[in-house]
Amino acid sequence: MFHFIIAIQTPEKSRLECALAEFKRLEARCGAMLDDGGWLGAFRRKLQFSSSAAAGVDYYDGQIALADVTLCIVGLMVVKVINGYNVGHMATAKTIYTLRRAWKMYQQCYASVLDIYRTVYDLDPDDNTPRWPPVLKRRQSTSATSLASTSNVESRMHRSATTSFVTLRQDCVSNGMTKDVVRLMAAVSVGYGAFNLILSLMSPMVIPLIGMLGFRGNRQTGLEALAFAKNGPDVHAPLAWLILSWYHMMGNTDYLFDGPQSRENETYIKESEQLVCNPPEEFQNSTSLQYFTGRSLYLKGDLERSIRAYEIGSTVVVDNSFVSMKTMCLHELGFMYAIRLDWMAAYKKFASVAEVWMRQYHYFMATVCAGAAGDSTTAELMRQRADEAVSGCRLNACPGTMCSFMESKERKVAEALRWTAAASSGDDADCNRRDGQRHCRLIAYEVLYVKYGVAKWPVDSLHAVLSDCQEAEDDDNTMWYTKQLLTIVCRRVLGFVDDHCHSLIEIVENMDRNQRRDHLYVYGVYELTAEQIRHIETIDEGKRTVQKLKDIKRGYHFQYFYDMRCVSLQAYVQKLNAR
């Protein structure tokens, strides 16, 4: 696991290859253990399982370990692709096959362990996931004994004051198996739940392809399985907590953005609070906990406390995670300070992150923030460093991401910095009419809107955006749509009584006439759809506009964040149609 963490944190090719080789050796060992004795050995183990619980426990432990190792191998292959390493068509096909094999292992093992679990614990026949705390079936027997003293899950069950063990007849299942049944159920629930959850978050455009490959995902099943597993007795429990925290504070599109669906269910806020208030022991006082606390506080609209949590997280020593959460805290701090309009503080955080992670991305943001603060000298230095980092960023390997956006803004940023420098020196009599700082701020607002939406921003920040979006006499047309879209979404959050729907229709139709199909167009269509669905009189039109979201071709800036919004909005419309 050490090799896996190092490879994820620093995805150099040599480290990825080393980690892959280590996991393949472990996979071979797991496979050899399970296949020992060939078909006759497998047959004997099945016979032994009915009379010897220990053999059954070993077998399922091996199955779960093999599935976990297989999934780690797939994860490393995905990291190679994300970082631009050419894995080839054969390797890609093999990765898909390996992923499918891991999914089948989790499915089969989960079904088998759940069947055993049903014989021991009370579970509704219609439930496909167990509930916490597990309660033993009541048996009328004088020979029944309590598991409270023998169970190895007691250390984690202490969190629930209602936890109690009821007696179990000795002839129901052997004591050896009973001691491990909850552990096995929790262990297999992590992989099974994570698979269901991640597959359910896929874009509707790829779901048919995933279905052809044999994958199916149910979000509720995944969440329930992980909720059970996070209370388990072994190393899988903190991993389940980590996945749930990621989902509720980073992957839950119903909660992250200001769509109509985000205001219907307040349980999102409660669930995120429960996770950060009840972390497993492994994550107490850790950077990971502070990171998720900061996310939870931001999503509640408490920007100041969110910044304090991230600041603590950037200095905490304990960092139990697959990626450097200290770096992630610094990354979020840069954006939080930018939302607070503290541009120099944002510049310092982005510049610090750029030394260790995604150099071009963070140097670009440092450039824009320093320019927004009016420090053209520092901004120019950051811009030069961003240009130097271009060779290390495989732009062709990540289309539709931040890299392509940065390329499109290079000229505008350089021009804005020249205006700012000229204004500072007084060399240009006309430069005061060309506010370079404002152009840098507009670029920063555009990135912030895409990444976070504007619903959680302070009122002062929203008014500042509206002020910067006002037309100036010498403004060119390159940022006209940016200003128009930001104006509408900010005024909507501030509660201005405008015909937002009509304004969005005008923007989209204007871009249609000009055959403009960039990220601003797709975000305009998304905002129009969301606005139509908000109101009873236009809800039917909104349902029709959703189809337009599906028909838009891919390959534009910030595609990931757009797809996240669309998945949530389309799911919301499906629920409306089912009512």
Side-chain angles (χ1 to χ4, degrees), residues 246-301:
W246 167 84
Y247 168 73
H248 283 295
M249 283 159 269
M250 295 177 69
N252 187 352
T253 52
D254 293 345
Y255 184 17
L256 299 183
F257 306 110
D258 187 34
Q261 65 278 24
S262 66
R263 290 171 289 187
E264 282 206 349
N265 197 342
E266 291 297 321
T267 59
Y268 297 139
I269 296 176
K270 295 178 182 178
E271 287 168 351
S272 67
E273 288 179 334
Q274 288 173 358
L275 284 166
V276 298
C277 290
N278 298 283
E281 293 181 6
E282 293 84 352
F283 285 99
Q284 289 180 6
N285 302 317
S286 69
T287 302
S288 299
L289 177 59
Q290 292 301 323
Y291 175 81
F292 288 123
T293 300
R295 289 286 297 180
S296 177
L297 289 168
Y298 167 74
L299 293 169
K300 287 173 61 179

Side-chain angles (χ1 to χ4, degrees), residues 457-530:
W457 293 13
V459 171
D460 290 346
S461 298
L462 294 172
H463 282 295
V465 174
L466 291 177
S467 177
D468 284 331
C469 287
Q470 289 179 357
E471 287 294 324
E473 292 180 4
D474 58 350
D475 272 352
D476 58 27
N477 292 324
T478 57
M479 301 194 75
W480 189 85
Y481 290 118
T482 301
K483 291 184 290 187
Q484 291 297 306
L485 191 57
L486 286 173
T487 297
I488 293 171
V489 296
C490 288
R491 287 180 67 86
R492 184 174 63 197
V493 172
L494 287 169
F496 284 93
V497 183
D498 298 336
D499 191 347
H500 303 301
C501 192
H502 178 73
S503 300
L504 288 165
I505 288 174
E506 283 189 343
I507 292 175
V508 171
E509 289 181 347
N510 197 349
M511 285 192 276
D512 272 328
R513 285 192 296 271
N514 295 329
Q515 296 184 338
R516 181 163 178 164
R517 290 294 184 273
D518 61 1
H519 67 289
L520 291 172
Y521 175 76
V522 297
Y523 278 96
V525 175
Y526 166 81
E527 294 292 354
L528 173 59
T529 309

Side-chain angles (χ1 to χ4, degrees), residues 23 27 65-75 98-99 101-102 105:
F23 274 105
E27 180 187 35
L66 180 58
D68 289 344
V69 168
T70 304
L71 196 57
C72 286
I73 291 174
V74 174
T98 304
L99 185 65
R101 184 159 60 91
M105 282 191 285

